[in-house]
Amino acid sequence: MSQGPMEKKNFLCVGLICVDIMNHVEKFPTEDSDNRASDQYWQRGGNASNNCTVLSLLGENVSIFGTIANSNELGFLQDDFKKYNISFNNCPIKENVTCPLSIAIVNKQNGSRTIIHHNRNLPELTSDEFSKLDLKNFDWIHFEGRPSVDEISGMLQIIDTFNEKYDKKIRTSVELEKKRETLKLLADRADVIFVSKGHASMLGYNKKEDALLHYLKKCRPKATVIVPWAEEGAVGQVQGQDQMFHSPCFSPDKVIDTLGAGDTFVASCIQALSRDLPLAHALKIACKVAGFKCGIKGYDGIS
Ligand code: ADP
Ligand code: FRU
């Protein structure tokens, strides 16, 4: 049965779940100074976890798949997944490990976010754990590029095998976000590849178009490569086609909080692509939703 435009799609996002300790400050602190935050709170974080929040706010059926530490933060994370209607039932709970934490400083003057992250010992997901999922439940599976590229590659292989066997085809995407050289090994493993400005600059690219052309040579035939680039908006192109599409950035009246702008962009872009909207349209929607997010604290209000 074909899905009508209003029917919810089933998304699975695979990657990190952590706690972000958010600190909003009047101005960015100087070294070795004693400061007061104008606001401070815990927020569920991690790219895949943030992708889930946004997809759920946008009205989709959403599941997260990532390891979670059985530590003091577990209750907070589970309550928050429930609050956003995100299914976390499949997540392996790991004993005797620490929950990854980020200290985020959000500068009130320009909304910039400075993150100090630490992941002491939470094990990454394995493709063995992934193989236990019932993939028939999902229309689209998105992967955050984690350090465990071999495991992620194995998970994408499981989806390829599923797609060969069944009529139902699961679409896939991967985000190459962090400044890790090994992430490029995932470039030919999915239908849609997101390349962040940070990752591209680590590879020596200072123009989004150059990063796009680089990854178009590395991706699968007919895959889509998308490069969001902060205030410059985003570009995207389908491998094998000539046209490069651009979207400008959509600035809010005041930039309040840019933490998770990239995660919001990815989530709204995959939602649009899952509904077969043209790439140019998907880029524009994603820049609009990400721009809106930059004008609010957190994610509530995205719709
Ligand atoms: P990340 O959060 O991964 O660093 P980017 O900074 O590249 O991601 O931002 C992703 C998208 O969010 C951009 O393509 C843009 O559409 C939007 N965005 C980022 N910063 C701003 C901003 N200051 N104002 C409006 N939109 C923004
Ligand atoms: C935002 C984010 C935060 C997390 C950090 C990890 O993109 O996922 O929620 O603390 O990045 O690097």
Side-chain angles (χ1 to χ4, degrees):
M1 203 180 77
S2 76
Q3 291 191 309
M6 299 312 289
E7 196 166 334
K8 290 184 182 215
K9 298 268 184 193
N10 299 301
F11 286 87
L12 176 70
C13 300
V14 182
L16 182 70
I17 300 160
C18 69
V19 171
D20 291 346
I21 302 179
M22 305 295 296
N23 293 276
H24 291 257
V25 295
E26 296 297 333
K27 68 179 191 42
F28 196 78
T30 45
E31 189 176 348
D32 203 19
S33 58
D34 179 358
N35 298 275
R36 299 291 172 270
S38 57
D39 197 5
Q40 190 180 59
Y41 50 91
W42 282 27
Q43 188 169 278
R44 177 171 45 76
N47 290 19
S49 159
N50 297 336
N51 297 144
C52 286
T53 303
V54 175
L55 281 163
S56 179
L57 290 169
L58 292 173
E60 304 295 355
N61 285 331
V62 190
S63 305
I64 179 79
F65 196 44
T67 50
I68 315 185
N70 189 4
S71 58
N72 293 337
E73 296 81 2
L74 179 63
F76 168 78
L77 292 169
Q78 290 177 325
D79 286 349
D80 203 67
F81 279 130
K82 282 183 205 148
K83 178 175 157 198
Y84 285 91
N85 210 11
I86 297 165
S87 163
F88 57 92
N89 302 336
N90 292 314
C91 291
I93 308 286
K94 301 290 178 181
E95 300 299 331
N96 304 316
V97 291
T98 312
C99 177
L101 283 184
S102 292
I103 306 291
I105 300 174
V106 180
N107 181 354
K108 264 196 166 180
Q109 289 176 0
N110 57 12
S112 77
R113 93 287 184 267
T114 303
I115 300 172
I116 302 173
H117 180 74
H118 184 61
N119 184 347
R120 187 184 304 273
N121 54 11
L122 182 68
E124 295 290 337
L125 269 182
T126 63
S127 54
D128 243 23
E129 286 165 328
F130 186 85
S131 70
K132 302 197 175 84
L133 294 178
D134 186 357
L135 295 186
K136 289 198 201 71
N137 292 330
F138 306 111
D139 298 307
W140 191 298
I141 304 186
H142 172 74
F143 292 84
E144 168 188 347
R146 303 281 312 149
S148 50
V149 285
D150 290 347
E151 296 298 332
I152 296 171
S153 212
M155 299 182 211
L156 283 155
Q157 183 56 54
I158 292 170
I159 302 174
D160 284 346
T161 308
F162 175 95
N163 282 342
E164 278 160 25
K165 199 163 154 195
Y166 296 100
D167 286 344
K168 172 176 174 148
K169 303 290 175 230
I170 300 167
R171 292 163 77 186
T172 55
S173 48
V174 173
E175 186 195 24
L176 314 181
E177 197 240 346
K178 302 289 184 239
K179 297 181 175 180
R180 263 181 229 121
E181 191 89 31
T182 50
L183 290 184
K184 61 188 184 197
L185 299 171
L186 296 171
D188 65 346
R189 308 292 296 115
D191 302 326
V192 180
I193 309 295
F194 291 93
V195 181
S196 78
K197 182 177 176 183
H199 179 79
S201 58
M202 182 263 316
L203 293 177
Y205 293 102
N206 50 26
K207 282 170 65 187
K208 56 188 178 314
E209 293 79 5
D210 292 342
L212 179 70
L213 293 173
H214 172 83
Y215 271 106
L216 276 173
K217 289 193 205 112
K218 305 214 169 293
C219 69
R220 286 182 172 178
K222 298 187 184 164
T224 302
V225 180
I226 294 172
V227 186
W229 206 269
E231 290 91 340
E232 281 187 33
V235 287
Q237 189 167 339
V238 177
Q239 196 282 334
Q241 296 183 8
D242 293 335
Q243 203 174 353
M244 188 185 286
F245 297 101
H246 296 248
S247 168
C249 137
F250 292 85
S251 298
D253 292 342
K254 184 165 172 26
V255 180
I256 304 282
D257 169 13
T258 56
L259 184 125
D263 304 332
T264 303
F265 176 94
V266 167
S268 41
C269 199
I270 60 179
Q271 183 195 35
L273 294 174
S274 77
R275 287 166 189 285
D276 295 324
L277 294 181
L279 178 55
H281 195 169
L283 292 176
K284 194 169 172 186
I285 291 176
C287 285
K288 278 193 173 168
V289 180
F292 175 85
K293 186 268 148 300
C294 292
I296 58 173
K297 263 187 204 175
Y299 305 93
D300 289 349
I302 290 176
S303 60

Coordinates of all heavy atoms in Angstrom, one line a residue, residues 16 18 20 45-47 50 102 115 117 177-178 259-260 263, ligand 2:
L16 N 24.5 8.4 19.4 CA 24.8 8.8 20.8 C 23.6 9.3 21.5 O 22.8 10.1 21.0 CB 25.9 9.9 20.8 CG 26.3 10.3 22.2 CD1 27.1 9.2 23.0 CD2 27.2 11.6 22.1
C18 N 23.3 11.3 25.2 CA 24.1 11.8 26.4 C 23.2 12.9 27.1 O 22.1 13.1 26.7 CB 25.4 12.4 25.9 SG 25.3 13.9 24.9
D20 N 23.3 16.9 28.1 CA 23.9 18.2 27.9 C 23.6 19.1 29.1 O 22.4 19.3 29.3 CB 23.3 18.9 26.6 CG 23.7 18.1 25.3 OD1 24.6 17.3 25.4 OD2 23.1 18.4 24.3
G45 N 20.8 14.9 25.0 CA 21.6 15.3 23.8 C 22.2 14.1 23.1 O 21.9 12.9 23.3
G46 N 23.2 14.4 22.2 CA 23.7 13.4 21.3 C 23.0 13.6 20.0 O 21.8 13.9 19.9
N47 N 23.8 13.5 18.9 CA 23.2 13.8 17.6 C 22.0 13.0 17.2 O 20.9 13.5 16.9 CB 24.2 13.6 16.4 CG 25.3 14.7 16.5 OD1 25.6 15.3 17.5 ND2 26.0 14.8 15.4
N50 N 19.1 13.9 19.4 CA 18.5 15.2 19.0 C 17.7 15.0 17.6 O 16.6 15.6 17.5 CB 19.6 16.3 18.8 CG 20.3 16.6 20.1 OD1 19.7 16.4 21.1 ND2 21.5 17.1 20.0
S102 N 28.0 16.4 28.3 CA 28.5 17.6 27.6 C 28.2 18.8 28.5 O 27.1 18.9 29.0 CB 27.9 17.9 26.3 OG 28.2 16.9 25.3
I115 N 31.0 23.4 23.2 CA 30.7 22.2 23.9 C 32.0 21.5 24.4 O 33.0 21.5 23.7 CB 30.1 21.2 22.9 CG1 28.8 21.8 22.3 CG2 29.8 19.8 23.5 CD1 28.1 21.0 21.2
H117 N 32.8 17.9 25.7 CA 32.1 16.6 25.8 C 33.1 15.5 26.4 O 34.3 15.6 26.1 CB 31.7 16.1 24.4 CG 31.0 14.8 24.4 ND1 29.7 14.6 24.9 CD2 31.4 13.6 24.0 CE1 29.4 13.3 24.8 NE2 30.4 12.7 24.2
E177 N 29.9 14.0 10.7 CA 29.8 15.3 11.4 C 31.1 15.7 12.1 O 31.6 16.8 12.0 CB 28.7 15.4 12.4 CG 28.3 16.8 12.8 CD 28.4 17.1 14.3 OE1 28.5 16.1 15.0 OE2 28.4 18.2 14.7
K178 N 31.7 14.7 12.8 CA 32.8 15.0 13.7 C 34.1 15.0 12.8 O 34.1 14.6 11.7 CB 33.0 13.9 14.8 CG 31.7 13.8 15.7 CD 31.5 15.0 16.6 CE 30.4 14.8 17.5 NZ 29.3 15.8 17.4
L259 N 22.9 25.2 19.5 CA 23.2 23.8 19.8 C 22.2 22.9 19.2 O 21.0 23.0 19.5 CB 23.3 23.5 21.3 CG 23.7 22.1 21.6 CD1 24.9 22.1 22.5 CD2 22.6 21.3 22.2
G260 N 22.6 22.0 18.3 CA 21.7 21.1 17.7 C 21.1 21.6 16.4 O 20.2 21.0 15.8
D263 N 21.7 19.0 13.8 CA 20.9 17.8 14.1 C 19.4 18.1 13.6 O 18.8 17.2 13.1 CB 20.8 17.5 15.6 CG 22.3 17.2 16.1 OD1 23.1 16.8 15.3 OD2 22.5 17.5 17.3
Ligands
FRU2 C1 24.8 18.6 19.4 C2 25.3 17.4 20.2 C3 25.0 17.6 21.7 C4 26.1 16.8 22.3 C5 27.3 17.0 21.4 C6 28.1 15.7 21.2 O1 25.0 18.4 18.0 O2 24.7 16.2 19.8 O3 23.7 17.3 22.0 O4 26.4 17.1 23.6 O5 26.7 17.3 20.1 O6 29.3 16.0 20.4

